[in-house]
Amino acid sequence: MVNVTFKGNPMTLRGEQVKVGDQAPDFTVLNTDLEQVSLNDFKGKKKLISVIPSIDTGVCSTQTKTFNEQATSVDNAAVITISNDLPFAQKRWTADEGLENAVTLSDHRDLSFGENYGVVMEELRLLARSVFVLDENDKIQYVEYVPEGTDHPDYDKAIEALKAL
């Protein structure tokens, strides 16, 4: 069981945490056009899944920009940001930041991703900050559950894991 805090307060994570070597669980989320998206939509690509509590906070914004900027040099890779923000807020953020091509997906409707990856913070109904790197066959190659939700993930390790695929 992973222990996570948010602003120093212990959080209860709902769902089952995944680990390196697991087959990545499927999920259903919404894109910024309110269309349903699943893991299968990225079939055959390397994936860096960046999970954030809310796109409109400083650390989450930096995390989204950093991964989108650093992963552009990786062939056949998708950077996917998932949060419980409404798709409208995600669309506005990407436009405001000039990252219209960034993939931002919303788990607000069903918490499908959050429960399947064990990142739903019950007390806040937000997703815990985490990073998952999947190979082209959806096998998990890297996992980071950030212990304190207001801290940054280890950007270098996640990008290295993606580049190593």
Side-chain angles (χ1 to χ4, degrees):
M1 181 61 131
V2 175
N3 293 317
V4 171
T5 58
F6 193 84
K7 295 185 177 180
N9 298 309
M11 293 288 117
T12 306
L13 295 183
R14 192 164 77 212
E16 191 166 330
Q17 280 88 41
V18 298
K19 61 187 180 313
V20 171
D22 287 352
Q23 192 65 29
D26 198 10
F27 55 85
T28 304
V29 292
L30 296 176
N31 68 16
T32 57
D33 293 323
L34 301 178
E35 299 165 331
Q36 192 167 289
V37 175
S38 73
L39 181 60
N40 198 49
D41 289 299
F42 302 95
K43 190 176 184 105
K45 289 188 172 283
K46 304 168 197 171
K47 292 160 280 295
L48 187 151
I49 302 176
S50 172
V51 183
I52 58 173
S54 178
I55 197 84
D56 283 315
T57 62
V59 176
C60 297
S61 180
T62 298
Q63 181 173 331
T64 303
K65 288 188 259 188
T66 300
F67 281 136
N68 275 280
E69 291 164 1
Q70 291 187 7
T72 56
S73 63
V74 181
D75 289 335
N76 194 37
V79 175
I80 304 160
T81 299
I82 300 180
S83 71
N84 279 357
D85 291 298
L86 294 176
F88 314 108
Q90 293 175 334
K91 190 171 198 169
R92 176 199 40 77
W93 183 89
T94 56
D96 288 352
E97 296 296 331
L99 291 171
E100 290 87 353
N101 293 327
V103 177
T104 55
L105 302 174
S106 175
D107 199 26
H108 87 280
R109 186 177 67 180
D110 299 324
L111 297 176
S112 170
F113 179 87
E115 290 187 351
N116 290 348
Y117 287 72
V119 295
V120 177
M121 294 186 286
E122 280 190 9
E123 293 82 356
L124 301 173
R125 200 178 189 278
L126 296 174
L127 301 183
R129 188 176 314 284
S130 46
V131 183
F132 307 92
V133 175
L134 285 53
D135 67 16
E136 295 95 329
N137 299 310
D138 297 331
K139 188 170 240 185
I140 299 173
Q141 302 296 321
Y142 175 84
V143 172
E144 180 184 10
Y145 291 92
V146 180
E148 166 52 51
T150 58
D151 289 344
H152 290 269
D154 191 329
Y155 299 111
D156 292 338
K157 280 189 180 176
I159 294 294
E160 285 171 20
L162 184 66
K163 287 180 177 179
L165 298 178

